[in-house]
Each structure stands twice: as C-alpha cells, then as structure tokens.
Amino acid sequence: GRAGGGQGGEGAASEVRGFEPGARGASRARVGLLQAAEGDFGQTIRLQPDFAHGHYERGVVRSQLGDVAGAIEDLTQAVQLLP
C-alpha cells in the first residue's frame, strides 16, 4: 500500500497505471506481438473500464488476431463510452 493513500490523487494514479500497459500494448502491436498487445490493452481496460481508447485498441488487435466477435464487442463498447 501507499503511505497516506486515500483521497485526492487516486484518479491521477489510476490514469498513470492505465497508461503504462496501454503504451506497452501499442508498442507491441506495432512490432506484431498481437497476443501480448491484447493482454496489455486488457490490463488497461481492467484499470480504466471507462477508457474508450483502451477498448478501441484491443478491438483493433482482436480483429487482427481474427477474433471478430471480440473485436465487435470491444469496438461497440468504445463507441458507447465516447462522449
């Protein structure tokens, strides 16, 4: 745990934790490590379930992996989360 945790900075900390696997996923997707990228984007979504871009990125990777149903689910969720 963190010392003094609790109120205040939790949202920002969550955004940072969500960004790290998302950035790693994008890097892995660029070099063709699609299954690893899918896992990274999944971690991003677990940390930030309302982050539309995480759903979008995982949907794109799932499409490239041939998981059409998973891609449609993620891309639909991404559209629903957009403002």
Side-chain angles (χ1 to χ4, degrees):
R2 286 191 167 137
Q7 313 278 336
E10 286 299 311
S14 176
E15 287 178 25
V16 169
R17 285 192 304 269
F19 175 78
E20 291 169 358
R24 185 174 55 240
S27 295
R28 287 178 169 172
R30 271 194 302 277
V31 297
L33 299 172
L34 299 178
Q35 290 178 329
E38 180 186 18
D40 290 332
F41 292 127
Q43 184 178 359
T44 297
I45 291 166
R46 283 189 297 280
L47 293 169
Q48 290 184 280
D50 294 336
F51 183 50
H53 194 71
H55 291 275
Y56 168 78
E57 292 290 348
R58 188 173 71 177
V60 169
V61 168
R62 284 181 165 177
S63 173
Q64 293 170 335
L65 286 168
D67 179 3
V68 175
I72 290 171
E73 181 181 327
D74 281 339
L75 296 172
T76 299
Q77 183 67 23
V79 170
Q80 291 174 351
L81 289 169
L82 290 174

